[in-house]
Amino acid sequence: MQLTDKVAIITGASRGIGRAVALALAAQGAKIVASARNLEALNALVAELKEQGAQAIAVAGDVAITADADKLVAEAVAAFGRVDILINNAGITRDGLLMRMKDEDWDAVLDTNLKGAFHCLRAVSKVMSKQRYGRVINISSVVGEMGNPGQVNYCASKAGLLGLTKSAALELARRNITVNAITPGFIVTDMTEDLNDKAKAALTERIPLGRLGESEDISHAVQYLASDQASYVTGQILRINGGMYM
């Protein structure tokens, strides 16, 4: 699954799944455009990638803002001449019960998780259409399919990504652009590390494979969907959740 000289934009790349994806794609030869709001963390990632022999740049910004998403794609093209892969991974949570949820908590999550993906996909689709080549992978979530109490905003945003994926796949297929989604289950990240042992044990009991997932479980799937081996796969949802939802 070599990705030599492919140019990959990864949003939410400063930590967790996004960081693991950046390292995995770089290991296959891709040039990395790492994006997030935390420039310090991005610079540390880019330094690590360069130490491993990869070409990489950091572009700080907020994908919820149209201008930042457009700038991200423009800087990728300016640096490397093209964009072959887009990983829409940026996401936030603002958890709370439905009856108590504030408008600003709903808006913040939808703006980043769903509208941000739309902004990036819209911008990159113009570049990929001219190239007549592209791979788009949207990182959704298992709770976007099954729901989760206290996360109506997050679940709605992740479910929306699935509709975005299928519609975009239909629109862009004739330009040789594939659009797919991955729905991770509960993955060991900064978010899950904040849970206490009792909460982690309760989560694990819901997973048939008996463990939380690792970021690498997701990055391996991204490698496949970003590769030419997946050239006939589009509009699909790849569920990586340890059997939690089938």
Side-chain angles (χ1 to χ4, degrees), residues 150-172:
Q151 287 194 313
V152 292
N153 49 3
Y154 186 78
C155 295
S157 71
K158 293 301 188 177
L161 277 177
L162 303 182
L164 174 69
T165 296
K166 294 179 180 182
S167 295
L170 288 169
E171 286 192 25
L172 299 174

Side-chain angles (χ1 to χ4, degrees), residues 188-221:
V188 177
T189 64
D190 291 349
M191 290 183 185
T192 54
E193 283 303 297
D194 291 337
L195 299 174
N196 59 41
D197 290 342
K198 183 177 180 181
K200 289 180 183 177
L203 280 180
T204 302
E205 288 178 3
R206 298 168 61 187
I207 303 169
L209 284 181
R211 68 173 178 89
L212 299 182
E214 301 288 341
S215 294
E216 288 72 22
D217 293 320
I218 310 305
S219 66
H220 293 158

